[in-house]
Amino acid sequence: MTNNQESNHGEAPNPDLSSQAGNSPKELPPGSHAGVGIAVASFVLGLVSLLFSLFVIGVIFGIVGLVFGIVHLSKRLPFFKAMAIWGVLLSVLGSLACIGFGVFYGIKIHQAFSAMSEMQSEGGIQSQAQEYIGMAVPDISLTDMDGNEIALSQLKGKRVVLDFWATWCPPCKKEIPHFIKLANEVKTDNLAIIGISHEDKKTLQKYIKKIGINYPIASADNLPSPFASISSIPTTFFIDRNGIIQNVLVGYHDYDTLKANAVAENYQGELKTAPIQPKSGLKDSEIKYTLKPQWILNIPGAVSICAGNWGNDGKEKILVADNNKTLHIIGVEGQIQGNITIPEAFGQIEIGKYKQNGYRLLGYSNWGHQVTVVDTNGMKLWEYPSKDGVNGAHWGDLDGDNNDEMIIGMNGFGGIHAVSCDGKQRWKVSAIGNVWNQSIVAGHDPKNTLVFATEAGGTIRVYDSNGQTVRTLQPLGKYYAQMTASLIDANDDIQVVAIGADGAVVAFNPAGQIKWTTGGSKQRSWRTSSFACGDMDGDGRKDWAFLEANGDLVIAAPDGTKLASLPAQKGIERFLICSGLNGGALVTMSKGDISSYSLSK
């Protein structure tokens, strides 16, 4: 009896211990701690995957979280099963979201590279160049770095290779060794290789010595067609022994391809005449205007130009920034009124107004990583940074307070940002990714203010002053990168002009209704001047300036009437319209020459 009682007593739970166990956390079985950790890790990684899906890299966390969750569930542990299930679900959702964003980004990147390819090829420079194949090459005369004159007409009987290149161009430099090798392998009696760059003699001589270039290099610009249309480099012309353009290659090519074209047999097809330029779609003006030269100044190293009220005296000034960080101030009559030092050699500049502290200047470099704002003394006021690079920036009064805010178009997937007059972000739209061109049009009534932007997909986006989407435009179904918009009269009428990928210039209102179009434009890079706007004829409505396909710089009224033109301006770097003494003035910049023209009957 005693033994049984003792035995039963030994097996019965201790009341005190049971009570203590009921008031304390249950102990986990041996080996279960690792399972808990895996379940927690799966949940956390799944959550991180979902949160970082926008950046695609979340897929890595999703895959690891999914594996951890499956491992935990496969062990059939009774602990934290729900957490493991949630970890698996979140990991799957995060991974799928990452894949979705990856596909979306891939499409956008493809569109962006396609657009850049189209723009670098000047709306299809390869196809334009193909139009000249089978045509006699124009006789041009070049001077090489040793002072020797080279005329193409004197090279008949030889194969000729004309390579258009620059020392700053990576694919050009990659091709140079191929031409050096070709010059060593083929006798000069049979082949003439000539490199042509627009750079100065000193820069070219230094590079020739460094690389050991063994064929003539010439510095030349403003050459006749078909060379005048070249803006994508390297571009290489292959000319046969009879002086006929046999082929044109754009971009980098390997040695075998270059050699095969350089030593090919003569052109065998039917000879062609020069292609006919597309007819202008502009109406001729009833009044016969001409653009009369007013003055010309030379500013060495000039890189950017703008115009506006700089100095609060009510008179417009022309500002020219050079590569020595100097801003030159020029009156509309052509007199230099002074200069100031600025923080950088800005590739783009624009004047904005600030009612309390006067006028300011924004400056940036293409694909630079900030927009800098300086005052009239050149002192830096603030910067707005950009991780992926700046594609463009413009002033405009978004809210009607007489202070200019700023719109910035970002490279990569940065979208478009609206920035206050003191450099603070007001709003941004990131969903459109890369932004080519942008514009603020401030109406007399702030409710009529609109923001325009072209994006990597080729559409034109319209926003209100708060960044809310108004509409998306794609007139005539074209792909647009170069674009600007302006208030053209006192009635808050807005006109947008844009260049399609085919070079067509299209003018339309904010609803997309087309006012006029004209034939292929000289398709310029979206980083340089494509349009200028201002009242040239004094009728109270702003006119447009742009380059037509034949290289003429045209002045067109907002109704599509051609007022006047400057012929053969394909080598022009910048142009603008500002208020002059007798109406508007067209101001151009080319190789440091700043020239002014007035509209004259």
Side-chain angles (χ1 to χ4, degrees):
M1 184 73 173
T2 304
N3 291 337
N4 289 338
Q5 288 178 346
E6 287 178 357
S7 175
N8 291 335
H9 179 75
E11 294 177 0
N14 187 312
D16 293 336
L17 292 177
S18 299
S19 175
Q20 291 174 11
N23 295 327
S24 62
K26 295 179 180 180
E27 292 187 14
L28 300 176
S32 66
H33 294 283
V36 172
I38 292 175
V40 173
S42 175
F43 179 82
V44 172
L45 288 169
L47 187 61
V48 172
S49 173
L50 195 60
L51 292 174
F52 281 83
S53 60
L54 182 63
F55 306 102
V56 181
I57 60 171
V59 70
I60 299 173
F61 299 101
I63 292 172
V64 177
L66 180 62
V67 171
F68 281 4
I70 292 173
V71 168
H72 180 90
L73 294 174
S74 68
K75 292 183 177 181
R76 299 183 179 180
L77 298 174
F79 305 96
F80 291 90
K81 181 178 179 181
M83 180 172 287
I85 293 173
W86 273 107
V88 169
L89 291 175
L90 290 173
S91 296
V92 170
L93 289 175
S95 298
L96 290 175
C98 290
I99 293 171
F101 279 114
V103 171
F104 172 77
Y105 293 154
I107 292 172
K108 287 297 182 181
I109 290 171
H110 174 73
Q111 291 173 337
F113 277 107
S114 297
M116 285 187 284
S117 176
E118 289 172 337
M119 286 180 290
Q120 288 174 348
S121 64
E122 294 294 302
I125 185 68
Q126 180 71 19
S127 61
Q128 288 181 24
Q130 292 286 351
E131 294 179 357
Y132 291 89
I133 292 175
M135 192 185 87
V137 68
D139 186 23
I140 59 174
S141 182
L142 305 167
T143 303
D144 70 12
M145 295 296 102
D146 296 324
N148 301 314
E149 292 291 331
I150 305 171
L152 291 187
S153 59
Q154 297 174 354
L155 296 176
K156 282 191 177 181
K158 295 183 180 183
R159 299 281 306 182
V160 178
V161 175
L162 298 180
D163 176 44
F164 289 83
W165 70 291
T167 61
W168 46 263
C169 166
C172 300
K173 294 191 288 186
K174 187 178 179 181
E175 248 184 8
I176 293 291
H178 300 335
F179 290 118
I180 294 174
K181 181 179 179 181
L182 192 59
N184 285 328
E185 290 189 357
V186 182
K187 294 181 179 180
T188 56
D189 292 342
N190 298 321
L191 177 67
I193 303 174
I194 305 170
I196 302 174
S197 173
H198 69 278
E199 296 168 286
D200 62 87
K201 185 175 181 179
K202 183 178 179 181
T203 300
L204 292 173
Q205 286 178 325
K206 182 179 179 181
Y207 192 79
I208 291 169
K209 183 178 180 180
K210 176 182 177 181
I211 303 300
I213 297 177
N214 56 354
Y215 54 88
I217 298 292
S219 177
D221 207 345
N222 293 324
L223 296 173
S225 293
F227 313 123
S229 61
I230 293 173
S231 65
S232 180
I233 54 175
T235 293
T236 309
F237 287 76
F238 297 89
I239 302 163
D240 75 3
R241 296 171 184 84
N242 297 318
I244 305 300
I245 298 173
Q246 190 163 8
N247 201 4
V248 183
L249 297 179
V250 179
Y252 169 81
H253 291 80
D254 60 30
Y255 175 76
D256 291 338
T257 301
L258 295 174
K259 183 177 180 180
N261 280 274
V263 300
E265 295 298 322
N266 287 343
Y267 180 76
Q268 300 298 318
E270 183 179 350
L271 298 185
K272 299 189 299 185
T273 57
I276 299 174
Q277 295 290 354
K279 184 179 180 180
S280 173
L282 301 174
K283 301 177 293 185
D284 290 330
S285 173
E286 295 180 359
I287 302 174
K288 301 301 180 183
Y289 289 106
T290 60
L291 286 166
K292 182 180 179 181
Q294 296 296 305
W295 50 263
I296 183 170
L297 292 173
N298 182 264
I299 299 180
V303 293
S304 55
I305 186 171
C306 70
N309 187 354
W310 185 257
N312 276 329
D313 59 0
K315 297 180 180 180
E316 288 212 348
K317 308 291 190 302
I318 300 160
L319 306 185
V320 179
D322 67 21
N323 54 18
N324 289 317
K325 302 181 183 179
T326 300
L327 186 70
H328 304 264
I329 305 166
I330 305 170
V332 292
E333 302 88 351
Q335 76 282 10
I336 296 180
Q337 298 182 351
N339 58 70
I340 59 175
T341 300
I342 51 180
E344 300 175 36
F346 296 125
Q348 307 284 348
I349 56 176
E350 186 176 298
I351 298 172
K353 66 179 184 295
Y354 189 39
K355 64 182 180 181
Q356 294 182 350
N357 297 324
Y359 288 79
R360 291 96 54 80
L361 186 78
L362 69 77
Y364 64 94
S365 296
N366 292 315
W367 293 324
H369 291 283
Q370 73 277 330
V371 179
T372 303
V373 175
V374 302
D375 63 16
T376 52
N377 295 314
M379 298 298 295
K380 184 187 297 185
L381 298 175
W382 49 266
E383 287 184 345
Y384 190 84
S386 168
K387 180 180 179 181
D388 296 318
V390 176
N391 285 345
H394 297 285
W395 294 112
D397 189 355
L398 283 174
D399 51 15
D401 65 351
N402 290 319
N403 289 320
D404 276 345
E405 285 75 38
M406 188 187 299
I407 286 292
I408 305 175
M410 301 298 186
N411 193 31
F413 298 99
I416 187 166
H417 294 215
V419 182
S420 67
C421 58
D422 56 355
K424 303 296 189 301
Q425 184 183 112
R426 294 182 60 145
W427 51 262
K428 70 175 181 178
V429 179
S430 300
I432 58 174
N434 183 86
V435 172
W436 298 127
N437 277 174
Q438 58 293 133
S439 183
I440 302 177
V441 182
H444 297 97
D445 182 345
K447 294 180 181 179
N448 296 331
T449 296
L450 294 174
V451 174
F452 299 83
T454 54
E455 51 85 35
T459 63
I460 299 171
R461 305 298 181 95
V462 186
Y463 303 94
D464 65 17
S465 59
N466 295 312
Q468 299 300 308
T469 300
V470 176
R471 63 181 61 89
T472 298
L473 304 174
Q474 198 163 15
L476 302 177
K478 298 180 183 295
Y479 185 107
Y480 297 99
Q482 293 100 314
M483 178 278 308
T484 192
S486 179
L487 201 67
I488 59 174
D489 58 28
N491 298 320
D492 276 9
D493 289 333
I494 297 173
Q495 193 165 79
V496 186
V497 289
I499 304 177
D502 60 353
V505 178
V506 184
F508 48 94
N509 67 15
Q513 296 172 325
I514 296 172
K515 185 65 177 179
W516 53 266
T517 65
T518 186
S521 166
K522 161 67 174 174
Q523 179 82 349
R524 297 169 67 77
S525 166
W526 50 272
R527 300 178 298 276
T528 58
S529 298
S530 296
F531 302 103
C533 190
D535 186 2
M536 285 292 295
D537 57 3
D539 67 351
R541 306 190 81 202
K542 291 182 179 179
D543 307 301
W544 295 103
F546 59 90
L547 286 166
E548 278 201 297
N550 60 3
D552 293 351
L553 181 57
V554 173
I555 304 296
D559 64 355
T561 299
K562 182 177 179 179
L563 301 179
S565 64
L566 284 177
Q569 296 295 306
K570 286 188 176 181
I572 200 170
E573 298 163 9
R574 300 283 192 276
F575 55 89
L576 57 85
I577 297 175
C578 68
S579 299
L581 292 176
N582 300 306
L586 174 67
V587 181
T588 67
M589 184 180 83
S590 179
K591 293 185 176 180
D593 286 337
I594 313 300
S595 305
S596 176
Y597 304 85
S598 63
L599 202 60
S600 178
K601 296 180 182 179

